[in-house]
Amino acid sequence: MKTTEARISHLHAGGVIDLHFDLPLSLFLSRGRRNVIATDFLPEFETGDMSLLGVALYVEDEYLGEQALRVALDQVALLKSEVENTPRLVLCRTFAEIEKAREADRIALLLTMEGAEPLGDDLNLLSIFHELGLRAISLTHARENAAAAGGIFAASGSPARGLTTFGRELVRECQRLGIMLDLAHINPSGFAEICALTTGPLIVSHSNARRYYDMERNISDEQIELIGARGGVIGINAILVSPKQEEATLDRYVDHIEHVAGLIGIDGVGIGFDFCEFLWRQVPDAEREALQAKLTTPHFLPDLGNHSHARNLTRKLIERGFSDEQIEKILRGNWVRVLRQIL
Ligand SMILES: [Zn+2]
């Protein structure tokens, strides 16, 4: 009989995948410093046995408009330069490259985009970002843009409109290029429209079940079932686990996993931690209040707050009775299946 710690190590030997991390934004906020990944993040990735991270381009409100493209390109450039100077990391564009990274025990990064604002309304720019390595896109954050409208952080009241003509063209172009469509953040009508317009697996890189946190930024049972029917995966988010601080616990995180698995099976659940407490703490007080008013107050989990805590999740899954086969699917297997299919 293996001890729990040995069982965790065994389960982590194949690596852990998190499909949503704000690394490019973090590099942008730290521009001027060097070796930011190696200093601030790599030790945590290594402790958590991370093998692949989806790293999301995200443009803050103050840079929307003409500057959005510039800021997104700056983020790609910073990421590229940091990765080149960090031998443990590699930016991957294909599934074969992800497999090669695994064999070489390197941590794979996959470039994603959260909110299509850097593209403006220019469809041609999507293929340029694809060349830079973009492999997943969510059309919106909580905002409205030229493509679609985001879901708000409340139980109702998101813009009613679905995709624009540009948004629909963008979705078709993603399917043609092999860019994963990520339904995190989009409003309910946009979500339904993307499902209707597309074939193959759809993902929700980082979200939670409305069952436990009822707001339109999260996903309803009906939406979870739509993703399941398409063979897609939902990455469970660690910062919107509950509207109540006292219920924002690792057990509640696992409740979200159980809820999604209960509706669509274990094959539909993955991880999209969205760790951002370090970013939240960098924000000046006045700005943080504005963000809280516009979005919500995140309740960070003390024992699942950064990548070094990944073992705590695995320990909790064991404690809650998940089998090794189920845990491996949650930690990486389900994301691997979809990545193999689309990339
Ligand atoms: Zn997000």
Side-chain angles (χ1 to χ4, degrees), residues 20 114 141 185 206 217 274:
H20 188 83
E114 181 170 35
H141 189 254
H185 283 289
H206 62 297
R217 183 259 173 268
D274 196 12

Short mmCIF file of all heavy atoms in Angstrom, two decimals, residues 20 114 141 185 206 217 274, ligand 1:
data_model
loop_
_atom_site.label_atom_id
_atom_site.label_comp_id
_atom_site.label_asym_id
_atom_site.label_seq_id
_atom_site.Cartn_x
_atom_site.Cartn_y
_atom_site.Cartn_z
N HIS A 20 -5.19 27.98 -17.97
CA HIS A 20 -5.31 29.46 -17.94
C HIS A 20 -4.44 30.11 -16.88
O HIS A 20 -4.69 30.00 -15.68
CB HIS A 20 -6.76 29.90 -17.72
CG HIS A 20 -6.91 31.39 -17.87
ND1 HIS A 20 -7.04 32.00 -19.10
CD2 HIS A 20 -6.89 32.39 -16.98
CE1 HIS A 20 -7.11 33.31 -18.95
NE2 HIS A 20 -7.02 33.59 -17.66
N GLU A 114 -7.23 36.10 -24.17
CA GLU A 114 -8.46 36.28 -23.40
C GLU A 114 -9.06 37.63 -23.79
O GLU A 114 -8.64 38.67 -23.30
CB GLU A 114 -8.13 36.24 -21.91
CG GLU A 114 -9.36 36.39 -21.03
CD GLU A 114 -9.06 36.09 -19.57
OE1 GLU A 114 -7.95 36.41 -19.11
OE2 GLU A 114 -9.96 35.56 -18.89
N HIS A 141 -13.45 39.08 -22.55
CA HIS A 141 -13.38 39.00 -21.08
C HIS A 141 -14.77 39.46 -20.65
O HIS A 141 -15.77 39.04 -21.23
CB HIS A 141 -12.23 39.89 -20.57
CG HIS A 141 -11.95 39.71 -19.11
ND1 HIS A 141 -12.31 40.64 -18.17
CD2 HIS A 141 -11.38 38.69 -18.43
CE1 HIS A 141 -11.96 40.20 -16.97
NE2 HIS A 141 -11.40 39.01 -17.10
N HIS A 185 -15.96 33.21 -20.09
CA HIS A 185 -16.33 34.64 -20.02
C HIS A 185 -17.46 35.09 -20.93
O HIS A 185 -18.13 36.08 -20.64
CB HIS A 185 -15.13 35.57 -20.28
CG HIS A 185 -14.20 35.71 -19.13
ND1 HIS A 185 -14.53 36.40 -17.99
CD2 HIS A 185 -12.93 35.25 -18.94
CE1 HIS A 185 -13.51 36.37 -17.15
NE2 HIS A 185 -12.54 35.66 -17.70
N HIS A 206 -11.31 28.30 -18.09
CA HIS A 206 -11.32 28.58 -16.64
C HIS A 206 -12.69 29.11 -16.25
O HIS A 206 -13.05 30.24 -16.53
CB HIS A 206 -10.20 29.56 -16.25
CG HIS A 206 -10.30 30.91 -16.90
ND1 HIS A 206 -10.22 31.09 -18.26
CD2 HIS A 206 -10.46 32.16 -16.37
CE1 HIS A 206 -10.33 32.38 -18.54
NE2 HIS A 206 -10.48 33.06 -17.41
N ARG A 217 -20.94 35.02 -15.68
CA ARG A 217 -19.55 34.76 -16.05
C ARG A 217 -19.23 33.26 -15.89
O ARG A 217 -18.32 32.75 -16.51
CB ARG A 217 -18.61 35.61 -15.16
CG ARG A 217 -17.13 35.48 -15.49
CD ARG A 217 -16.44 34.54 -14.50
NE ARG A 217 -15.07 34.27 -14.88
CZ ARG A 217 -14.70 33.23 -15.64
NH1 ARG A 217 -15.59 32.38 -16.13
NH2 ARG A 217 -13.43 33.02 -15.91
N ASP A 274 -6.32 29.79 -13.05
CA ASP A 274 -6.47 31.26 -13.10
C ASP A 274 -5.84 31.93 -11.87
O ASP A 274 -6.37 32.93 -11.38
CB ASP A 274 -7.98 31.61 -13.19
CG ASP A 274 -8.22 33.03 -13.64
OD1 ASP A 274 -7.27 33.69 -14.11
OD2 ASP A 274 -9.37 33.51 -13.51
ZN ZN B 1 -10.59 35.12 -17.07
#
